[in-house]
Amino acid sequence: MSNVFKALSDPTRRRILQLLRDRDLTAGEIAGQFVISRPAITKHLELLRQAELVTSEKRGQFVVYSINLSALQAALGGFLAYFDGVQARDTRPQAQPTGDDRVGEPL
């Protein structure tokens, strides 16, 4: 799960996932959407692949990347499981009872 969150921590990698949400893309098509070098995009794609957020398939001379939503869902579900049974707490300051507001005390 930590690999997933590490991969998601970078805005470039999040943008790559957004691009892949719509359709599968080659590395060149992905790189064409950025002003950074192709080797840098390749490194980002490799980190996404290691986190299993994307899959790659060689098609002829191209490598086509696809988003792997099941891995993302599994990681987010696992993260949310840490909070099962935890109820939201009201963190607003509570008003303190004043002399006339106290319950059970004679006036």
Side-chain angles (χ1 to χ4, degrees):
M1 182 178 3
S2 64
N3 284 348
V4 171
F5 288 106
K6 180 180 177 181
L8 293 173
S9 70
D10 184 86
T12 300
R13 292 190 287 272
R14 290 192 305 268
R15 177 69 181 127
I16 291 170
L17 292 173
Q18 285 178 322
L19 293 169
L20 292 172
R21 179 184 57 192
D22 298 328
R23 65 184 182 97
D24 297 349
L25 297 168
T26 66
E29 290 171 322
I30 294 168
Q33 300 294 313
F34 296 91
V35 294
I36 60 177
S37 69
R38 285 184 186 245
I41 291 295
T42 299
K43 181 67 175 171
H44 285 297
L45 288 167
E46 180 59 22
L47 288 169
L48 288 168
R49 199 180 62 70
Q50 288 174 0
E52 298 181 358
L53 292 172
V54 300
T55 59
S56 61
E57 179 184 342
K58 183 108 168 124
R59 294 185 193 160
Q61 64 182 8
F62 300 103
V63 177
V64 178
Y65 290 88
S66 305
I67 193 167
N68 182 4
L69 288 177
S70 60
L72 181 59
Q73 291 167 339
L76 293 175
F79 178 72
L80 290 174
Y82 284 113
F83 302 99
D84 279 351
V86 176
Q87 296 180 357
R89 293 182 294 152
D90 186 358
T91 58
R92 294 176 291 176
Q94 300 296 317
Q96 297 298 319
T98 60
D100 293 335
D101 294 340
R102 286 181 248 164
V103 178
E105 292 186 19
L107 295 175

